[in-house]
Amino acid sequence: MSIRSAAAVVSVLMAQVAAAQPVPPLPPPRPIETPSPAPPPAPRPETAPAPTAGGPPPALPAPDDCLASLKAAGFEIEPAEPPQVSNELCRIDTPVRLTAVPVPTKPETTVRLANQPVLACRFAGPFGHWIGDLVAPLVAGIKGSDLKAVQTGPGFECRNRNRATTGKLSAHAQGLAIDIAGFELANGTTLRIRPEPDAAPDPALAALRTAACGWFTTILGPGSDEAHHDHLHVDIEQHGSSDRYRICQ
């Protein structure tokens, strides 16, 4: 047999062997993928509309809530009758009579307000906390004697600013201000706001006056003007459109 004939025989045999081998099965067809539905959009959180310039002021706390929160904090405070005034523009919301405030750093210790000023409840809170949380420990630390009482004016007064005959109403006419004449200490001394002639500024009075700018919107005292030469005036009346503006003099 020639080489060409042998090659032909081998090719035929290989073709027969290949035909006898089983053909591997094909994989099943891939199922058609249907797009999954998109998840529903997450609900947007409900937010209160932003206040607009010149819009109504934020709602005041309910009288019972204000009184209850101050009493729970240890304030000696009672509801007061709205003072009788001839000017109907002089209005005070939730008038209260403030008698004493607690000193958190000294449990069961209070600072008396002998004049029992009548204030709007929303002002009595920051004023009382300023006395108990700041003034009392500051005075005790500098003077070495506890704060016993604070000498104040009546709080609410239906009058114009600086007692002028004309002009804008004072914050006192809403019960949002108070005048402070002095601080009585347990050792019998009194820190008077009115400066003594040729005396250096008292460090305790200077410190609490500066710190008051973080608690009130207006702080006026000796050196501000003649109307405040002998007392410290503090209030929370808003100036303009922002409650961050301060008058610290």
Side-chain angles (χ1 to χ4, degrees):
M1 180 181 297
S2 63
I3 294 177
R4 179 177 297 179
S5 299
V9 172
V10 171
S11 298
V12 172
L13 292 176
M14 290 180 65
Q16 292 177 349
V17 171
Q21 294 293 326
V23 178
L26 296 175
R30 185 175 184 179
I32 300 176
E33 295 183 358
T34 57
S36 58
R44 298 179 62 183
E46 297 183 1
T47 57
T52 57
L60 300 177
D64 291 344
D65 293 342
C66 181
L67 286 168
S69 64
L70 294 185
K71 287 185 175 181
F75 283 50
E76 292 184 24
I77 194 168
E78 295 297 337
E81 290 294 327
Q84 298 297 318
V85 296
S86 58
N87 187 346
E88 63 179 8
L89 297 179
C90 296
R91 300 175 181 177
I92 178 171
D93 294 318
T94 318
V96 295
R97 191 174 298 280
L98 184 60
T99 304
V101 297
V103 180
T105 55
K106 285 200 168 186
E108 301 183 4
T109 301
T110 59
V111 177
R112 311 298 300 177
L113 289 99
N115 298 91
Q116 299 185 10
V118 174
L119 310 170
C121 190
R122 66 187 178 100
F123 174 61
F127 174 61
H129 281 298
W130 175 68
I131 292 174
D133 298 1
L134 174 71
V135 178
L138 186 151
V139 169
I142 295 178
K143 294 297 183 179
S145 179
D146 289 338
L147 179 62
K148 178 182 177 181
V150 180
Q151 300 172 352
T152 70
F156 175 84
E157 289 186 84
C158 183
R159 61 175 175 84
N160 293 331
R161 293 178 180 175
N162 299 334
R163 303 186 183 277
T165 55
T166 60
K168 295 183 178 181
L169 282 176
S170 168
H172 288 277
Q174 302 177 67
L176 300 179
I178 196 165
D179 294 332
I180 304 166
F183 300 92
E184 299 177 13
L185 306 186
N187 62 8
T189 62
T190 299
L191 293 176
R192 302 190 185 281
I193 301 299
R194 182 173 184 171
E196 295 293 334
D198 301 324
D202 187 283
L205 292 178
L208 64 87
R209 183 172 175 175
T210 299
C213 291
W215 295 73
F216 308 105
T217 57
T218 307
I219 301 92
L220 301 171
S224 301
D225 52 38
E226 182 56 30
H228 300 90
H229 73 283
D230 61 353
H231 67 274
L232 190 65
H233 166 99
V234 298
D235 72 53
I236 59 169
E237 189 175 33
Q238 181 169 316
H239 305 290
S241 60
S242 173
D243 60 357
R244 296 183 180 180
Y245 186 82
R246 297 288 189 271
I247 298 175
C248 300
Q249 298 179 356

